[in-house]
Amino acid sequence: MRRRVNPDEQLMTALYTEHYAVLLSFVSRYVRDRHKAEDLVQETLLRAWRHIDHLDPDPGRTRSYLLTIARNVVTNAWRAEQRRPRLVADEGAVEAVPAADNVDQLVEGWLVAEALERLSADHRAVVQAMYYEGQTVADAARQLSVPEGTVKSRAYYAVRALRQAFEEMGVLR
């Protein structure tokens, strides 16, 4: 059985066979990559198909309409290309880029150290064990030789004291 072909399909097939080579030649003047040029021609024909009701039966007007679409597609592709950052292959240029400084990390470290100094020794030991060494409540209790409930309450009050210290230092509101 043969498949029925609708008039729009026939028109697009005719457009493709008549104008593809001209469109590819036109786009290739602006795009050096053959595959990208073919993609842009396909995009041009796709846009023409979406607005097939705008096509004029006169071959001269149809070609100028398709070339206008192709010009717009090439312009849009060029603009999109300009917005993307380019990869740099030059090692000297890559090394010349300044490294990110760690001033923020240094200031945060200083603020945390200052806030920890304001804690009592017992609270500081619990914070050290649980938050810096990653110990569980049970492990911290064994290490500090205190009950687990004491570790929990010291951790709670240490966090509250740290929050208050940060507020006094102007770090938190």
Side-chain angles (χ1 to χ4, degrees):
M1 290 190 70
R2 297 188 76 190
R3 187 174 76 96
R4 277 192 160 199
V5 180
N6 68 27
D8 289 348
E9 256 184 80
Q10 288 177 340
L11 180 60
M12 283 309 297
T13 303
L15 285 177
Y16 184 86
T17 55
E18 288 179 37
H19 302 287
Y20 182 80
V22 173
L23 289 170
L24 185 61
S25 172
F26 175 77
V27 171
S28 295
R29 282 192 262 166
Y30 302 103
V31 178
R32 301 286 179 238
D33 182 14
R34 168 85 178 186
H35 297 291
K36 184 169 178 145
E38 289 174 353
D39 287 344
L40 294 177
V41 171
Q42 290 295 326
E43 177 66 24
T44 300
L45 291 169
L46 179 66
R47 288 187 188 183
W49 177 66
R50 286 184 184 150
H51 302 286
I52 203 161
D53 54 318
H54 292 17
L55 285 176
D56 195 332
D58 179 29
R61 288 189 179 176
T62 301
R63 181 166 285 177
S64 66
Y65 178 68
L66 290 172
L67 290 172
T68 301
I69 294 173
R71 184 192 66 215
N72 292 339
V73 167
V74 169
T75 303
N76 291 346
W78 180 82
R79 287 179 182 155
E81 185 76 24
Q82 297 305 309
R83 292 188 57 91
R84 289 188 199 103
R86 291 199 171 95
L87 294 176
V88 178
D90 182 18
E91 290 296 323
V94 172
E95 290 176 11
V97 174
D101 58 9
N102 57 356
V103 172
D104 289 340
Q105 288 178 328
L106 292 173
V107 170
E108 278 183 17
W110 175 77
L111 289 170
V112 170
E114 179 69 28
L116 284 172
E117 288 296 319
R118 295 182 183 189
L119 294 178
S120 69
D122 291 336
H123 288 116
R124 197 173 325 126
V126 168
V127 168
Q128 176 73 28
M130 291 182 65
Y131 294 103
Y132 285 100
E133 296 172 9
Q135 295 181 3
T136 63
V137 172
D139 292 339
R142 258 185 257 111
Q143 178 189 348
L144 299 172
S145 302
V146 294
E148 289 181 20
T150 303
V151 170
K152 289 178 185 178
S153 67
R154 284 182 184 172
Y156 173 79
Y157 287 111
V159 169
R160 283 185 57 186
L162 284 172
R163 183 173 290 123
Q164 183 178 358
F166 285 134
E167 286 175 355
E168 289 171 1
M169 296 165 73
V171 178
L172 295 176
R173 290 186 249 176

